[in-house]
DNA sequence: GAAAAAAAATGAAGTAGTTTAAGACTTTTA
DNA sequence: TAAAAGTCTTAAACTACTTCATTTTTTTTC
């Protein structure tokens, strides 16, 4: 018996099913461990100082994950859109206060899993160890690449790389936020963009 | 019956046992899937263009993992010493040619697991999905942090961060290699070090 | 243990990216 | 729909870092 799932649940099941196969019963069980969350544009999903109680899967919208340096300048570590996972894994795992803010840049909808349900998930459906092993492995590969590019490419090269890699994200965010991701000032971002467009 | 293991095997079993519990039989099975490798100082464990056939655990020595940019300038992505894991996970997983070199900076000894044995390991001892899930999760946390620091800190701040975080590595490597890791020229590294020492 | 090779230090001139400030344009809010 | 707030552009002066060239020091090699 295959039950019809609502859209957001279908999305997360499809995402998980890329790496592991679930029975209908396991799908129902998994979905029962998730919490639906809505965040309006400009609202915070999480703020620095809080403990990250959930890890999130985005079913709609766009969010930015960032820290503030001692001068209050934001440094954006990721933009998360539909079909992405986000959160502060360090705080989620250690239960120490987070240094990150997560703010919606569009009205967004997410599915969250709490720390308790995350542990329960591994007990009830051990295959999820495999799912997360592969998910983290793939994330690790792209973060290793990004941390290399951060030190080896110029700002202009990083911008071109971002545009090429995320053509679907680049037009959904402000130049200012993109500057915060690339690691430069909005003024210099503006110069780079007009230069690259002229080329 | 608890068998006595040789030193290198004891090290890797201790490493794995931080996250999962293994029976004596499982330990023997695991060890049987590993290959011992020795690399002399200045020798390559792996070179760009090759497919990464193994992931490695270091039992002795020190190695640097790096790429060369189009001008032939090395960018070091990690230094790996005893009790660390290393390799090129992207190439190991996709079987595409690697862009990385791994070179020993001291005479080194490693235990490697081949791609076939890595898959076999999950079939034979599914708990290893959990081990790698946790290992990758922890690595991910530190790479996320590093990729943020790469864009938000000055070279001097990154140097101080490295020295504080890896006091046991900083004196084992050359200033030139450290420059390649921090993402600056050896000349500027030299200036930073003499400045920081004067403070 | 001498010669060669590589690493480190220093300095002068150049470039990538920042800072500050001000005006134009766009989006949000009441 | 007007005012306010935020974003984008441009430019001049500044700083972090690079480049190139030379000398000194350390490490490697035979």
């Amino acid at each position: 018996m295959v039950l019809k799932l609502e859209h957001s649940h279908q999305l997360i099941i499809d995402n998980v099913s890329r790496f592991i196969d679930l029975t209908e019963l396991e799908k129902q069980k998994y979905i029962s461990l998730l919490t639906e969350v809505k965040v309006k544009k400009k609202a915070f999903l999480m703020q620095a100082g809080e403990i990250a109680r959930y890890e999130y899967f985005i079913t709609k919208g766009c969010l930015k994950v960032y820290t503030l340096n001692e001068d209050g300048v934001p440094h954006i570590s990721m933009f998360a859109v539909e079909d992405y996972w986000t959160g502060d894994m360090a705080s989620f795992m250690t239960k120490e206060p987070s240094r990150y803010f997560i703010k919606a840049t569009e009205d967004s909808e997410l599915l969250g899993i709490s720390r308790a349900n995350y542990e329960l998930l591994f007990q009830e459906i051990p295959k999820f160890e495999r799912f997360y092993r592969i998910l983290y492995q793939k994330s690790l590969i792209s973060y290793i690449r990004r941390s290399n590019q951060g030190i080896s490419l110029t700002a202009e090269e990083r911008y071109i790389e971002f545009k090429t890699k995320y053509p679907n994200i680049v037009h959904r965010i402000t130049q200012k936020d993109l500057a915060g991701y690339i690691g430069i000032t909005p003024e210099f971002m503006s110069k780079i963009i007009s230069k690259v467009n002229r080329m």
Coordinates of all heavy atoms in Angstrom, one line a residue, chain C residues 13-27:
Chain C
dA13 P 61.3 51.7 -4.3 OP1 62.1 52.6 -5.2 OP2 60.6 52.3 -3.1 O5' 60.3 50.9 -5.2 C5' 60.7 50.0 -6.2 C4' 59.6 49.3 -6.8 O4' 59.1 48.4 -5.8 C3' 58.4 50.2 -7.1 O3' 57.7 49.7 -8.3 C2' 57.5 50.1 -5.9 C1' 57.7 48.6 -5.6 N9 57.3 48.2 -4.2 C8 57.5 48.9 -3.0 N7 57.1 48.2 -2.0 C5 56.6 47.0 -2.5 C6 56.1 45.9 -1.9 N6 55.9 45.8 -0.6 N1 55.7 44.9 -2.7 C2 55.9 45.0 -4.0 N3 56.4 46.0 -4.7 C4 56.8 47.0 -3.9
dG14 P 56.5 50.4 -9.0 OP1 56.8 50.5 -10.4 OP2 56.0 51.5 -8.2 O5' 55.3 49.2 -8.8 C5' 55.5 48.0 -9.5 C4' 54.4 47.0 -9.1 O4' 54.5 46.9 -7.6 C3' 53.0 47.5 -9.4 O3' 52.3 46.5 -10.0 C2' 52.4 47.9 -8.0 C1' 53.2 46.9 -7.1 N9 53.3 47.3 -5.7 C8 53.8 48.5 -5.2 N7 53.7 48.6 -3.9 C5 53.1 47.4 -3.5 C6 52.7 46.9 -2.3 O6 52.9 47.4 -1.1 N1 52.1 45.6 -2.3 C2 51.9 45.0 -3.5 N2 51.3 43.8 -3.4 N3 52.2 45.4 -4.7 C4 52.8 46.6 -4.6
dT15 P 50.8 46.8 -10.7 OP1 50.9 46.3 -12.1 OP2 50.5 48.2 -10.5 O5' 49.8 45.9 -9.9 C5' 50.1 44.6 -9.6 C4' 49.1 44.0 -8.7 O4' 49.3 44.6 -7.3 C3' 47.6 44.4 -9.0 O3' 46.9 43.3 -8.8 C2' 47.3 45.6 -8.0 C1' 48.1 45.1 -6.8 N1 48.5 46.1 -5.8 C2 48.4 45.7 -4.4 O2 47.9 44.6 -4.1 N3 48.8 46.6 -3.5 C4 49.3 47.9 -3.8 O4 49.7 48.6 -2.9 C5 49.5 48.2 -5.2 C7 50.1 49.5 -5.6 C6 49.1 47.3 -6.1
dA16 P 45.3 43.2 -9.2 OP1 45.2 42.1 -10.2 OP2 44.8 44.5 -9.4 O5' 44.7 42.6 -7.8 C5' 45.3 41.5 -7.1 C4' 44.6 41.4 -5.8 O4' 44.9 42.5 -4.9 C3' 43.1 41.4 -5.9 O3' 42.6 40.5 -4.9 C2' 42.7 42.9 -5.6 C1' 43.8 43.3 -4.6 N9 44.3 44.6 -4.7 C8 44.5 45.4 -5.8 N7 45.0 46.6 -5.5 C5 45.0 46.6 -4.1 C6 45.5 47.6 -3.2 N6 45.9 48.8 -3.5 N1 45.4 47.3 -1.9 C2 45.0 46.0 -1.5 N3 44.6 45.0 -2.3 C4 44.6 45.4 -3.6
dG17 P 41.0 40.3 -4.6 OP1 40.9 38.9 -4.0 OP2 40.3 40.7 -5.9 O5' 40.7 41.3 -3.5 C5' 41.0 41.1 -2.2 C4' 40.8 42.3 -1.3 O4' 41.5 43.4 -1.9 C3' 39.3 42.7 -1.2 O3' 38.9 42.7 0.1 C2' 39.3 44.1 -1.9 C1' 40.7 44.5 -1.6 N9 41.1 45.7 -2.4 C8 41.1 45.8 -3.8 N7 41.5 47.0 -4.2 C5 41.9 47.6 -3.1 C6 42.4 48.9 -2.9 O6 42.7 49.8 -3.7 N1 42.6 49.2 -1.5 C2 42.4 48.4 -0.5 N2 42.6 48.8 0.7 N3 41.9 47.2 -0.6 C4 41.7 46.9 -1.9
dT18 P 37.7 43.5 0.8 OP1 37.2 42.7 1.9 OP2 36.7 43.9 -0.3 O5' 38.3 44.8 1.4 C5' 39.3 44.7 2.4 C4' 39.4 46.0 3.2 O4' 39.9 47.0 2.3 C3' 38.2 46.5 3.8 O3' 38.5 47.0 5.1 C2' 37.7 47.6 2.8 C1' 39.1 48.1 2.3 N1 39.1 48.7 0.9 C2 39.6 50.0 0.7 O2 39.9 50.7 1.7 N3 39.6 50.4 -0.6 C4 39.1 49.7 -1.7 O4 39.2 50.1 -2.8 C5 38.6 48.3 -1.4 C7 38.2 47.5 -2.5 C6 38.6 47.9 -0.1
dT19 P 37.4 47.5 6.2 OP1 38.0 47.2 7.5 OP2 36.1 47.0 5.7 O5' 37.4 49.1 6.0 C5' 38.6 49.8 6.2 C4' 38.3 51.3 5.8 O4' 38.3 51.4 4.4 C3' 37.0 51.8 6.3 O3' 37.3 52.9 7.2 C2' 36.3 52.3 5.1 C1' 37.4 52.4 4.1 N1 37.0 52.1 2.6 C2 37.5 53.0 1.7 O2 38.1 54.0 1.9 N3 37.2 52.7 0.4 C4 36.5 51.5 0.0 O4 36.3 51.3 -1.2 C5 36.1 50.6 1.0 C7 35.3 49.4 0.7 C6 36.4 51.0 2.3
dT20 P 36.2 53.6 8.2 OP1 37.0 54.0 9.4 OP2 35.0 52.7 8.3 O5' 35.8 54.9 7.4 C5' 36.8 55.7 6.8 C4' 36.2 56.7 5.8 O4' 36.0 56.0 4.5 C3' 34.8 57.1 6.2 O3' 34.7 58.5 6.2 C2' 33.9 56.5 5.1 C1' 34.8 56.4 3.9 N1 34.5 55.4 2.9 C2 34.8 55.7 1.6 O2 35.4 56.7 1.2 N3 34.4 54.7 0.7 C4 33.8 53.5 1.0 O4 33.5 52.7 0.1 C5 33.5 53.3 2.4 C7 32.8 52.0 2.8 C6 33.8 54.2 3.3
dA21 P 33.5 59.4 6.8 OP1 34.1 60.3 7.8 OP2 32.3 58.5 7.1 O5' 33.1 60.3 5.5 C5' 34.0 60.4 4.4 C4' 33.1 60.7 3.2 O4' 33.0 59.5 2.3 C3' 31.7 61.1 3.5 O3' 31.3 62.1 2.6 C2' 30.9 59.8 3.2 C1' 31.7 59.3 1.9 N9 31.4 57.9 1.6 C8 31.1 56.9 2.4 N7 31.0 55.7 1.8 C5 31.1 56.1 0.4 C6 31.1 55.3 -0.8 N6 30.8 54.0 -0.8 N1 31.3 56.0 -1.9 C2 31.6 57.3 -1.9 N3 31.7 58.1 -0.8 C4 31.4 57.4 0.3
dA22 P 30.0 63.1 3.0 OP1 30.6 64.3 3.6 OP2 28.9 62.3 3.6 O5' 29.5 63.5 1.5 C5' 30.3 63.3 0.3 C4' 29.4 62.8 -0.8 O4' 29.4 61.3 -0.8 C3' 27.9 63.1 -0.6 O3' 27.4 63.7 -1.8 C2' 27.2 61.8 -0.2 C1' 28.1 60.8 -1.0 N9 28.0 59.5 -0.6 C8 27.8 59.0 0.7 N7 27.7 57.7 0.8 C5 27.8 57.3 -0.5 C6 27.8 56.0 -1.1 N6 27.7 54.9 -0.5 N1 28.0 55.9 -2.5 C2 28.2 57.1 -3.2 N3 28.2 58.3 -2.7 C4 28.0 58.3 -1.4
dG23 P 25.9 64.3 -1.9 OP1 26.0 65.7 -2.3 OP2 25.1 63.9 -0.7 O5' 25.4 63.5 -3.1 C5' 26.1 63.4 -4.3 C4' 25.5 62.3 -5.2 O4' 25.7 61.1 -4.6 C3' 24.0 62.5 -5.5 O3' 23.7 62.2 -6.8 C2' 23.4 61.5 -4.5 C1' 24.4 60.4 -4.5 N9 24.4 59.6 -3.3 C8 24.3 60.0 -2.0 N7 24.3 59.0 -1.1 C5 24.4 57.9 -1.9 C6 24.5 56.5 -1.6 O6 24.4 56.0 -0.5 N1 24.5 55.7 -2.7 C2 24.6 56.1 -4.0 N2 24.7 55.2 -5.0 N3 24.6 57.4 -4.3 C4 24.5 58.2 -3.3
dA24 P 22.2 62.3 -7.4 OP1 22.2 63.0 -8.6 OP2 21.3 62.6 -6.3 O5' 22.0 60.7 -7.7 C5' 22.8 60.1 -8.6 C4' 22.2 58.7 -8.9 O4' 22.3 57.9 -7.6 C3' 20.7 58.6 -9.2 O3' 20.6 57.6 -10.2 C2' 20.0 58.3 -7.9 C1' 21.1 57.4 -7.2 N9 21.0 57.4 -5.8 C8 21.0 58.5 -4.9 N7 21.0 58.2 -3.6 C5 21.1 56.8 -3.6 C6 21.1 55.8 -2.6 N6 21.1 56.1 -1.3 N1 21.2 54.5 -3.0 C2 21.3 54.2 -4.3 N3 21.2 55.0 -5.3 C4 21.1 56.3 -4.9
dC25 P 19.1 57.3 -10.8 OP1 19.3 56.9 -12.3 OP2 18.2 58.4 -10.4 O5' 18.7 56.0 -10.1 C5' 19.6 54.8 -10.1 C4' 19.0 53.8 -9.3 O4' 19.1 54.2 -7.9 C3' 17.5 53.5 -9.5 O3' 17.4 52.1 -9.9 C2' 16.8 53.8 -8.2 C1' 18.0 53.7 -7.2 N1 17.9 54.4 -5.9 C2 17.9 53.7 -4.7 O2 18.0 52.5 -4.7 N3 17.8 54.4 -3.6 C4 17.7 55.8 -3.6 N4 17.6 56.4 -2.4 C5 17.7 56.5 -4.8 C6 17.7 55.8 -5.9
dT26 P 16.0 51.4 -10.1 OP1 16.1 50.2 -11.0 OP2 14.9 52.4 -10.3 O5' 15.8 50.8 -8.6 C5' 16.7 49.8 -8.1 C4' 16.0 49.2 -6.9 O4' 16.0 50.2 -5.8 C3' 14.6 48.7 -7.1 O3' 14.6 47.4 -6.6 C2' 13.8 49.7 -6.2 C1' 14.8 50.1 -5.2 N1 14.6 51.5 -4.6 C2 14.6 51.6 -3.2 O2 14.7 50.7 -2.4 N3 14.5 52.9 -2.7 C4 14.4 54.1 -3.5 O4 14.3 55.2 -3.0 C5 14.4 53.9 -4.9 C7 14.3 55.0 -5.9 C6 14.5 52.6 -5.4
dT27 P 13.2 46.5 -6.5 OP1 13.6 45.1 -6.8 OP2 12.2 47.2 -7.2 O5' 12.9 46.6 -4.9 C5' 13.9 46.1 -4.0 C4' 13.4 46.4 -2.6 O4' 13.2 47.8 -2.4 C3' 12.0 45.8 -2.4 O3' 12.1 45.0 -1.2 C2' 11.1 47.0 -2.2 C1' 12.1 48.1 -1.7 N1 11.7 49.5 -2.0 C2 11.7 50.4 -0.9 O2 11.9 50.1 0.2 N3 11.5 51.7 -1.3 C4 11.2 52.2 -2.6 O4 11.0 53.4 -2.8 C5 11.2 51.2 -3.6 C7 11.0 51.6 -5.0 C6 11.5 49.9 -3.3

